[in-house]
Amino acid sequence: MTGAGMSGEGGIVKAACVQVNAGTELEPNLRAAGDLVRRARDAGTEFIALPENVGWIVQGRDRTMERIRTEAEHPGIPFFADLARETGAWILGGTLHVLLEDGRAANRSYLFGADGRIAASYDKIHMFDVTLKDGESYRESATFRPGERAVVAASPWGGIGMTVCYDVRFAYLYRALAQAGASILTVPAAFTVPTGRAHWHTLLRARAIETGCFVVAPAQTGSHDKGRQTYGHSLLIAPWGEVLADAGTDVGFVTAELDLARVAEARAMVPSLTHDRTVGVERLGF
């Protein structure tokens, strides 16, 4: 677990989730994302979050690997750094695919400060490997190397715990982030439609309630390469579990004010983060 000190945290921040429909080519995707970030900034937001795979969505390992670049060469990083400097907003640049030294990729989330510097980065830990009922298959581990560290980043409003998409199913990660100082949890995502309908709202509200954190979850929406469908419904959620904003299925953005005083209030009412117990499991009748 890494994270800088959380001095200066608190107050109210107006946050935005930007919802996009990424195609297969980087430049038009970045251009569309940048336009929405500027519009969100014009609406008075100070913290703007974009979804997973904001650079592109392509199906298949080979097509992904032919597009990726090292961190030093990736055009998406200076693009979001410049955008943060231009707008003066803190920007969560969704995730970008970064080539690693072992020939695999990282699905890496970047947090840019208002000065354009990278405040933190996080590699998605949990890989989505599944074959769905309709035969649609995802094998993230064939392309991406799982991250090995959780990250809490300092911001003007408090600790930001960084996660990505499939991570949302692993409650222990969010508990650890909250106990390490996170007040805001980010979940950039590209959730599929079937699992989104069934679980997206429930899981994200649960993560907020369990930790007493705000949840900022920007998402992909619509139809992508080779017919892949993503669910949309970017969400901003309060520590008590209320949905403050839901983007539906349209490309665009939603905003909400996050009053960080509500984090302490929620945790005072249900102080479960301080009530951990170590338990053993007795297996009977196996």
Side-chain angles (χ1 to χ4, degrees), residues 230-241:
T230 53
Y231 181 62
H233 292 279
S234 298
L235 297 177
L236 292 153
I237 302 174
W240 203 242

Side-chain angles (χ1 to χ4, degrees), residues 18-35:
V18 169
Q19 186 158 285
V20 303
N21 172 248
T24 60
E25 301 302 322
L26 179 65
E27 288 188 10
N29 290 333
L30 291 180
R31 192 161 53 246
D35 289 345

Side-chain angles (χ1 to χ4, degrees), residues 1-233:
M1 185 78 61
T2 64
M6 305 304 167
S7 60
E9 63 186 32
I12 298 173
V13 56
K14 189 172 182 180
C17 283
V18 169
Q19 186 158 285
V20 303
N21 172 248
T24 60
E25 301 302 322
L26 179 65
E27 288 188 10
N29 290 333
L30 291 180
R31 192 161 53 246
D35 289 345
L36 287 169
V37 167
R38 293 183 182 95
R39 287 172 52 196
R41 180 60 171 148
D42 289 344
T45 58
E46 303 163 88
F47 176 42
I48 303 169
L50 295 110
E52 182 183 28
N53 302 336
V54 69
W56 60 66
I57 292 180
V58 297
Q59 298 291 77
R61 183 183 189 280
D62 290 345
R63 296 177 69 212
T64 296
M65 297 306 292
E66 70 187 13
R67 285 168 166 77
I68 64 171
R69 301 290 183 269
T70 64
E71 187 170 73
E73 298 173 335
H74 201 301
I77 297 169
F79 175 85
F80 285 117
D82 290 346
L83 191 60
R85 278 191 293 269
E86 173 195 331
T87 61
W90 280 65
I91 295 176
L92 182 82
T95 71
L96 298 170
H97 300 161
V98 176
L99 182 64
L100 302 175
E101 62 281 355
D102 67 358
R104 286 189 289 175
N107 193 6
R108 185 167 293 173
S109 183
Y110 289 93
L111 178 66
F112 297 89
D115 59 2
R117 296 181 183 180
I118 296 173
S121 65
Y122 162 76
D123 291 356
K124 184 178 181 179
I125 290 175
H126 300 97
M127 298 289 100
F128 186 46
D129 290 354
V130 66
T131 299
L132 302 176
K133 283 183 178 180
D134 61 3
E136 193 172 6
S137 178
Y138 299 89
R139 290 289 180 271
E140 286 187 340
S141 64
T143 304
F144 298 101
R145 186 174 76 187
E148 297 180 346
R149 66 188 181 111
V151 174
V152 179
S155 82
W157 314 285
I160 296 178
M162 300 173 68
T163 72
V164 176
C165 200
Y166 190 50
D167 285 334
V168 77
R169 296 186 179 276
F170 300 86
Y172 70 87
L173 174 59
Y174 294 82
R175 187 173 191 83
L177 291 169
Q179 290 173 331
S183 299
I184 300 169
L185 301 169
T186 57
V187 195
F191 240 64
T192 65
V193 169
T195 53
R197 286 175 179 155
H199 299 153
W200 175 247
H201 288 75
T202 301
L203 286 170
L204 289 166
R205 291 186 66 209
R207 298 299 86 89
I209 293 165
E210 292 162 352
T211 62
C213 288
F214 284 96
V215 169
V216 177
Q220 293 276 352
T221 191
S223 181
H224 307 272
D225 185 42
K226 295 188 176 180
R228 179 179 177 182
Q229 299 286 323
T230 53
Y231 181 62
H233 292 279

Side-chain angles (χ1 to χ4, degrees), residues 231-274:
Y231 181 62
H233 292 279
S234 298
L235 297 177
L236 292 153
I237 302 174
W240 203 242
E242 313 99 298
V243 173
L244 302 176
D246 183 331
T249 57
D250 292 335
V251 168
F253 66 92
V254 289
T255 71
E257 288 191 346
L258 314 185
D259 182 351
L260 275 297
R262 296 191 62 186
V263 173
E265 292 172 2
R267 292 176 182 178
M269 289 187 284
V270 183
S272 60
L273 290 174
T274 65

